Amino acid sequence: MYGTTPRALAALSLTLICIAGPASAADDSVRIRGTIERVEGPVYVVKNRDGAELKLTVTDNPLFVAIVPSTMADIKPGMFVGSAGTMQPDGVQKAIEVHIFPESMRGTGEGHYDWDLKPQSKMTNGNVEQTVAGVDGPILSVKYKDGEKKLLVTPETVVVTYVPGNKDDLKPGTRIFVSAAKKQADGTVQTPRITYGRNGAGPAF
């Protein structure tokens, strides 16, 4: 995919295993959804979505994963996708975002579970069984090991896919997501991986 090598895809696979699971973090970790404000040597100064300023560092041999825009037209039956969204009264999940996993990551974070993107939001990861037209947009039937959910994709839904990234992309203004950065004694937080939006794209999850 996108001319990536098997080694790059393997590294990407390890990264996605760690970012696509239920929202449960240890007491000494913090989830980051924010924007890089500046770079001070090895430290990324990030403004988190709650307004807090965090100083983020990476471990040795860190992994960087870029998010790039995709479209609903790229989603085909048989693909493995993930989606954060909110449940509607009719049981359909209205997708805030849909991310398309590389085939090598089939099964990552599979299931339907609570997520902390918004109050009462859910994450659903599974196989696309079919797509049908709906009044408000296409509806994906997504099947996972314990069940099946229908996902409504509206014109406002963000559709993205993953590609191996590069630390040189991490500049002021770049939007990032870190699932569980570990708090350090000096007040910084540290992570082995950063997921970020390339060319203005941004993690919605």
Side-chain angles (χ1 to χ4, degrees), residues 47 86 88 93-94 111 126 131 158 168 177 179 184 195 198:
K47 177 170 283 188
T86 54
Q88 307 301 293
Q93 179 176 316
K94 184 177 181 180
T131 302
V158 177
D168 293 338
F177 173 79
S179 61
Q184 304 295 299
T195 304
R198 179 177 284 170

Side-chain angles (χ1 to χ4, degrees), residues 47-62:
K47 177 170 283 188
N48 208 8
R49 71 171 182 177
D50 61 4
E53 184 177 273
L54 302 171
K55 292 188 176 181
L56 176 67
T57 62
V58 293
T59 58
D60 293 338
N61 301 314

Side-chain angles (χ1 to χ4, degrees), residues 59-117:
T59 58
D60 293 338
N61 301 314
L63 295 174
F64 301 98
V65 180
I67 288 176
V68 297
S70 194
T71 69
M72 180 62 203
D74 296 320
I75 301 176
K76 310 293 184 184
M79 287 184 166
F80 193 85
V81 302
S83 176
T86 54
M87 300 305 298
Q88 307 301 293
D90 61 0
V92 173
Q93 179 176 316
K94 184 177 181 180
I96 298 169
E97 56 80 25
V98 177
H99 48 272
I100 304 169
F101 286 101
E103 185 59 29
S104 61
M105 282 314 302
R106 176 172 294 277
T108 299
E110 184 173 356
H112 174 75
Y113 40 84
D114 292 338
W115 194 242
D116 61 350
L117 179 61

Side-chain angles (χ1 to χ4, degrees), residues 30-38 44-56 176 183 187-189:
V30 58
R31 177 163 288 162
I32 301 173
R33 295 183 177 94
T35 303
I36 296 175
E37 292 200 308
R38 59 187 184 278
Y44 299 100
V45 180
V46 179
K47 177 170 283 188
N48 208 8
R49 71 171 182 177
D50 61 4
E53 184 177 273
L54 302 171
K55 292 188 176 181
L56 176 67
I176 68 170
K183 297 177 182 177
T188 62
V189 292

